[in-house]
């Protein structure tokens, strides 16, 4: 059989203009809105990754997912003062703009929004976004009562400014994901909140901008947080259904590192943050500790079949 000859043409096809993938660095809200409007008119799918900078692989995992699934990627870097309490680390929070910009360029991010405080909260700014205390009062809300009002307010502003179809958050801050998911739905933002898994160091410590606060001894002790979560996962898998027994075992593992001070160890319904009498359904095991100057959080969500268990 003779193969049909495909006509060969020497004419080049229509040249598709290549999109310049230059990082736009925008400190002004108005300019950001102009860019966003243009993208929306062009029917571009916009992805937002809100961060406080000092970027690490956890942030990059969110940016890569945004890059994969959206036409335009906006990363915000803003250390939001209203989510910090008076005794917290706002002044010391790690900042490295040059390195961050280099990383964002390498990831082919389209836009970096880096507002000043005056840009985000100009004179006369007088609004706070409050999500039901069911989500904001327990866990991190107990020791940081201002945290989720600050987070909800800044995220609502960022969603209004960037009008993304998708916004990307990390499970490391699971309670934050719940709060932001609630507000994105309740305020009709049309934005899907995407939660991505915790990115860890090889020894299990969750990557965090605050890990730089750890000295050598503290850094050696820190993986106990992950090991305690693994212990909880194992206990749930072999049928532990008693919250007190589980939490006591987790605390004991953490106490084996004398440098670790426990802030909370908690097991809750992962969807409602309600306490559990019996460990069943989607169980959130959440830990917050102080280790030297650092406050570190981590969590694990385990799907426990209802009615199962040997204990
Ligand atoms: P931050 O700059 O700490 O406010 O974090 C910005 C975003 O990155 C939040 O959605 C965090 O949950 C997420 N993130 C921080 N650390 C990690 C990590 N280790 N793995 C995955 N996401 C993370």
């Amino acid at each position: 059989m003779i193969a049909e000859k495909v006509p060969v043409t020497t004419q080049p096809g229509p040249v598709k203009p290549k999109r310049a993938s230059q990082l736009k660095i925008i400190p002004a809200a108005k300019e950001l809105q102009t860019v966003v409007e243009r993208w929306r008119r062009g029917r571009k799918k916009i992805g937002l990754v809100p961060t406080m900078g000092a970027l690490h692989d956890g942030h990059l995992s969110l940016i890569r997912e945004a890059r994969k699934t959206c036409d335009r990627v906006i990363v915000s870097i803003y250390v939001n003062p209203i989510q910090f309490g008076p005794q917290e680390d706002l002044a010391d929070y790690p900042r490295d703009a040059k390195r961050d910009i280099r990383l964002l360029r390498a990831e082919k991010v389209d836009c970096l929004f880096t507002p000043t405080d005056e840009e985000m909260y100009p004179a006369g700014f007088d609004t706070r976004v409050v999500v039901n205390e069911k989500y904001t009062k327990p866990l991190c809300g107990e020791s940081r009562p201002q945290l989720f009002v600050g987070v909800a307010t800044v995220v609502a502003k960022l969603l209004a400014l960037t009008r993304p179809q998708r916004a990307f958050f990390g499970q490391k801050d699971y309670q934050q994901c719940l709060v932001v998911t609630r507000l994105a739905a309740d305020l009709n933002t049309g934005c899907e909140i995407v939660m991505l898994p915790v990115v860890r160091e090889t020894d299990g410590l969750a990557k965090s901008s605050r890990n730089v606060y750890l000295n050598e001894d503290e850094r050696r002790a820190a993986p106990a947080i992950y090991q305690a979560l693994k212990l909880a996962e194992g206990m749930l898998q072999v049928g532990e259904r008693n919250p007190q027994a589980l939490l006591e075992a987790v605390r004991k593992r953490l106490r084996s590192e004398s440098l670790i001070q426990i802030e909370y160890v908690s097991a809750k319904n992962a969807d409602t943050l309600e306490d559990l009498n019996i460990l069943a359904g989607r169980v959130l095991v959440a830990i917050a500790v102080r280790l030297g100057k650092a406050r570190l959080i981590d969590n694990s969500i385990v799907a426990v079949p209802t009615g199962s268990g040997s204990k």
Side-chain angles (χ1 to χ4, degrees):
M1 194 178 140
I2 300 168
E4 220 178 291
K5 252 198 171 170
V6 181
V8 178
T9 171
T10 51
Q11 294 294 319
V15 180
K16 236 185 160 186
K18 253 203 175 160
R19 186 171 69 82
S21 63
Q22 268 242 329
L23 178 71
K24 294 182 212 299
I25 302 174
I26 302 184
K30 266 257 158 342
E31 189 189 346
L32 178 67
Q33 285 175 301
T34 307
V35 169
V36 164
E37 283 319 308
R38 197 175 65 235
W39 287 345
R40 287 199 66 111
R41 273 200 308 276
R43 301 200 169 281
K44 301 300 180 204
K45 184 169 179 180
I46 298 173
L48 171 69
V49 183
T51 81
M52 298 206 295
L55 301 179
H56 52 68
D57 290 344
H59 298 117
L60 296 186
S61 75
L62 309 185
I63 292 168
R64 284 174 191 154
E65 186 63 20
R67 185 70 285 167
K68 247 198 310 199
T69 57
C70 299
D71 302 313
R72 297 291 182 271
V73 176
I74 303 174
V75 173
S76 62
I77 295 185
Y78 182 57
V79 183
N80 177 34
I82 68 166
Q83 74 187 60
F84 287 76
Q87 309 301 324
E88 293 177 5
D89 59 342
L90 174 62
D92 300 336
Y93 196 83
R95 291 164 167 88
D96 193 344
K98 266 196 183 152
R99 181 175 170 275
D100 288 350
I101 288 169
R102 214 175 332 111
L103 290 169
L104 296 178
R105 287 211 165 98
E107 298 299 331
K108 304 206 179 329
V109 167
D110 297 287
C111 172
L112 164 62
F113 179 50
T114 50
T116 59
D117 290 340
E118 292 69 35
E119 192 67 28
M120 283 306 261
Y121 304 118
F125 182 91
D126 209 5
T127 294
R128 291 292 183 277
V129 177
V130 179
V131 173
N132 192 317
E133 63 178 34
K134 190 167 118 188
Y135 306 102
T136 58
K137 212 172 168 196
L139 304 175
C140 290
E142 272 190 34
S143 67
R144 304 187 69 195
Q146 73 302 320
L147 174 63
F148 293 114
V149 179
V151 165
T153 303
V154 79
V155 171
K157 276 182 74 85
L158 290 169
L159 293 178
L161 285 167
T162 61
R163 301 178 57 209
Q165 282 86 348
R166 307 185 95 193
F168 299 81
F169 292 84
Q171 189 192 318
K172 187 175 85 68
D173 301 277
Y174 178 72
Q175 193 175 8
Q176 169 170 282
C177 290
L178 274 187
V179 168
V180 166
T181 301
R182 197 63 268 154
L183 92 83
D186 292 350
L187 300 183
N188 303 92
T189 61
C191 176
E192 177 194 357
I193 302 300
V194 181
M195 182 175 83
L196 293 168
V198 184
V199 175
R200 301 178 177 285
E201 304 287 355
T202 45
D203 59 11
L205 174 64
K207 300 237 181 190
S208 165
S209 306
R210 289 184 166 105
N211 289 350
V212 298
Y213 296 152
L214 301 172
N215 68 25
E216 242 175 68
D217 290 339
E218 291 157 358
R219 178 63 189 82
R220 250 195 304 276
I225 304 165
Y226 177 66
Q227 289 155 13
L229 287 174
K230 284 303 210 197
L231 175 68
E233 286 173 15
M235 289 176 75
L236 287 166
Q237 271 148 21
V238 298
E240 183 60 74
R241 296 294 172 261
N242 178 339
Q244 279 73 41
L246 182 95
L247 296 177
E248 201 34 53
V250 171
R251 283 193 203 101
K252 195 168 163 207
R253 178 67 194 87
L254 290 170
R255 278 194 216 109
S256 72
E257 288 294 345
S258 59
L259 293 173
I260 289 183
Q261 270 179 282
I262 298 173
E263 185 184 295
Y264 66 72
V265 169
S266 190
K268 290 189 177 285
N269 177 312
D271 302 312
T272 63
L273 296 190
E274 282 162 341
D275 285 327
L276 296 167
N277 297 323
I278 294 171
L279 298 167
R282 261 164 46 83
V283 176
L284 168 72
V285 182
I287 294 176
V289 304
R290 292 196 180 268
L291 191 43
K293 203 168 111 33
R295 178 180 179 278
L296 303 178
I297 57 172
D298 203 345
N299 69 80
S300 172
I301 297 173
V302 182
V304 178
T306 314
S308 73
S310 56
K311 301 197 175 180

